[in-house]
Amino acid sequence: MINCFDSETSFGRCANFLFLLMKLRWRFGLVAGIFMALFCLYPQMKMVYLRGSDWNGHYAYNDIDEVAYASYLRALIDGRPRKNDPYSGRDHATETPQPESLFSIQFAAPYTIAIPARIVGVEAPWAMTIAGALAGFLAALATFWLLGRVTGDNWYAMAAALGVFAFGTLAAGEGAVSEVFFDGFSYPYFPGFRRYIPALGMPAFFLFVGLIWKLVNRQLPVSSRQFPVSDSDNGLVSEDGEAQLADGALRQQVSSNPHVAYSLLAIASFAYCVYTYFYIWTTAAAFLGCVFLVWLIERPEGWKEDIKRLSAVGVGCVGVLVPYGYLLSQRGETLDHIQLLVYTRMPDFFRFPEYLGFVVLLLIIVGIGFKLIQLKDRTVLFALSLSLVAFVIFNQQILTGRSLQPIHYQVFIGNYVAALAVFLAVGLLWRSKLGQGRTSVKIISSIMLFTAVVWGIVECHYTVRVLDEANIERDKGMLVAKRLEELGKQAADPHRQTVLSFDGIFADDMPSVAPQNILWARHQHVFAGLSWEESKERYYQQLYYSGATEKTLDWLLKNDFVSQIALFGWGRHTDRLSVDSKPLSYGEVADEVAKFGHFVRNYSREQAARPLLAYVIIGNGDTTNRANLEKWYELGEGEHVGAHTIYSVRLR
């Protein structure tokens, strides 16, 4: 067997042999997974704590966009088609075909939840809660598997796997750090686990990364000298402290590597990412490209076979994108309004994940300089590939000429890839200690794990409280939703019944917990059921029924981002989403106000019936001027439900 402490022994060969002997202990991965699941459940536990016995069963969102995802999930659980619009009630049918939307194209994750939820009878709120915890657990487990196989140490892999996600928001330069150490605002909460997009794509992505490692990792043959190792936790020893592994058995294990199965699984993982979230699959593609390029340049031993395997995976991934391209070609016009595609070739080197990528490059250079690692080592090349991903995803527009909301790369996936690269690079520099069961490794790894847990709790505490009030109001509205559910059973098609709500939070949330559609809500235009002009007209109607005047809209467009989004799209209220963002001009505001004035003066019964209102929801104590509404609709007696009143209405 080989002696790791023989000065004549190649360190790379010794390390590879150690990793081959290392047995993955899944209990370590379960620890990381359970902590991540608890972090993902924290918002829900916080809501239940705040509501106490008044909790009505709603889920706590950790991002305002989750209401749209929950609404689409609710529609699928109800058995509605893939191309549905829960906000307008319009579903795809032969006589009423619908275009593709963000949700119908990215269908993999919601169907993953909806199918079992429908089978066992779980409603959308519980499905969202369970899916979030499951995504966190599986993502940590997949990352543990990857780090364990690359670094060869269960303890370090456990701590680093949790660290990748606990420090993920910090790796984006966001989250609690802004408030804890600076005079900033704590947001967002664990962005990669916004349910269910991108949350369910995270395990698939890290599984894809791990499978690529399995394809390019090759253990080198060794001689038959003694190899002393210890520690049963890492699966490295027999009772006499020696690992007896014959050359023949080692070579047989290497030669029987099921690379075909790994390739197929990698393609399947990539496919799941493609039909789950745009920013995750494009990052996966960038990673595959980086590995291919690094292997092609450095040419480690056996590189030609590696390139063939990577090429086969690449061809399979391209094949997966063919139907995806077709679906995109069938997209609705509203999709272009919310995606904010910008044509530019300007480089972007000032994102926090890129800073971390640069740190990893420096660590690799230092490690090579001090002869701690060798560039030809496959683990080093793999870490190098991961460090380059951030530079690619933030600067691909130099070649493509197109930039699409790069902030999503920064907070949803690029930050986690950069964090993974950092932990992997540190593990490589520390590799002489890893895998040998040393007490120092266990102690330091335990400290790393404890630090990750503490920081995860800090992130939860500071970022979740930002949405506490909204979640409380959403839970109060559940009583109204349950009553609407009961009323919907009396209708032939409750999805076509339209509700007007003067409570903006309830309006945005309603389609996720009730079968009816809403006249207007903040996330209405992210679906494809309405054209952009129809969506704007519905917002005009919302303003009209609430008694708004031209002066009201003028103030709103200058001070309220919701109104700016409703009439001008998501890219005009902030430069966070688009590199080409432009604030509204006074001329644009004046023109929109004039259009609304014309709309109000010429409002007709035909417009009042398009869409026909079935119910009006008004919060108790709401003093909204209802004169315009009562001009066209006769309000019933009203039913008090919790903090709201439900009115059945009839067109005059």
Side-chain angles (χ1 to χ4, degrees), residues 222 248 315 337 391 404 423 443 448 567 585 648:
V222 295
V315 170
H337 279 282
F391 298 104
L404 189 65
F423 280 109
I443 293 175
M448 287 173 55
L567 298 176
S585 66
S648 295

Side-chain angles (χ1 to χ4, degrees), residues 429-444:
L429 296 180
W430 200 26
R431 188 164 56 177
S432 62
K433 303 293 189 299
L434 298 180
Q436 298 179 32
R438 295 193 176 191
T439 302
S440 61
V441 172
K442 295 180 181 180
I443 293 175
I444 295 175

Side-chain angles (χ1 to χ4, degrees), residues 15 34 80 138 142 146 202 207 211 225 232 235 274 278 295 341 362 443 465 569 598 606:
I34 289 171
R80 295 168 69 177
L138 292 178
L146 165 62
M202 300 294 279
L207 177 62
L211 289 166
R225 289 184 291 168
S232 58
V274 167
F278 172 82
W295 251 250
L341 180 65
L362 289 179
I443 293 175
R465 65 180 183 176
H598 181 268
E606 179 184 357

Side-chain angles (χ1 to χ4, degrees), residues 474-521:
R474 289 173 59 247
D475 188 61
K476 290 179 180 178
M478 275 293 286
L479 296 176
V480 180
K482 291 176 180 178
R483 180 55 181 152
L484 288 173
E485 186 88 56
E486 295 173 357
L487 294 171
K489 295 176 181 178
Q490 305 170 14
D493 184 4
H495 305 136
R496 301 296 291 176
Q497 290 185 311
T498 302
V499 176
L500 164 64
S501 172
F502 291 135
D503 182 337
I505 291 178
F506 177 79
D508 210 19
D509 194 50
M510 191 204 77
S512 69
V513 286
Q516 294 84 357
N517 73 80
I518 194 77
L519 174 67
W520 185 84

Side-chain angles (χ1 to χ4, degrees), residues 50-82:
L50 292 174
R51 294 288 288 150
S53 60
D54 294 328
W55 181 50
N56 294 315
H58 211 346
Y59 80 97
Y61 65 24
N62 49 56
D63 185 285
I64 60 175
D65 290 342
E66 284 187 23
V67 292
Y69 300 117
S71 297
Y72 184 72
L73 176 64
R74 157 75 193 239
L76 294 182
I77 294 175
D78 285 349
R80 295 168 69 177
R82 180 177 61 86

Side-chain angles (χ1 to χ4, degrees), residues 398-474:
I398 296 175
L399 295 177
T400 66
R402 290 165 175 79
S403 175
L404 189 65
Q405 298 187 40
I407 184 63
H408 289 82
Y409 285 121
Q410 180 176 331
V411 300
F412 289 135
I413 186 61
N415 50 325
Y416 298 104
V417 176
L420 174 63
V422 170
F423 280 109
L424 182 54
V426 171
L428 294 181
L429 296 180
W430 200 26
R431 188 164 56 177
S432 62
K433 303 293 189 299
L434 298 180
Q436 298 179 32
R438 295 193 176 191
T439 302
S440 61
V441 172
K442 295 180 181 180
I443 293 175
I444 295 175
S445 295
S446 297
I447 293 173
M448 287 173 55
L449 181 71
F450 177 76
T451 305
V453 170
V454 170
W455 186 253
I457 294 173
V458 170
E459 287 284 1
C460 287
H461 171 70
Y462 280 94
T463 58
V464 167
R465 65 180 183 176
V466 174
L467 295 173
D468 279 349
E469 291 184 10
N471 279 323
I472 290 173
E473 292 304 314
R474 289 173 59 247

Side-chain angles (χ1 to χ4, degrees), residues 333-347:
E333 64 168 304
T334 55
L335 188 58
D336 292 333
H337 279 282
I338 63 174
Q339 284 307 290
L340 310 179
L341 180 65
V342 175
Y343 296 94
T344 180
R345 294 189 184 276
M346 289 294 294

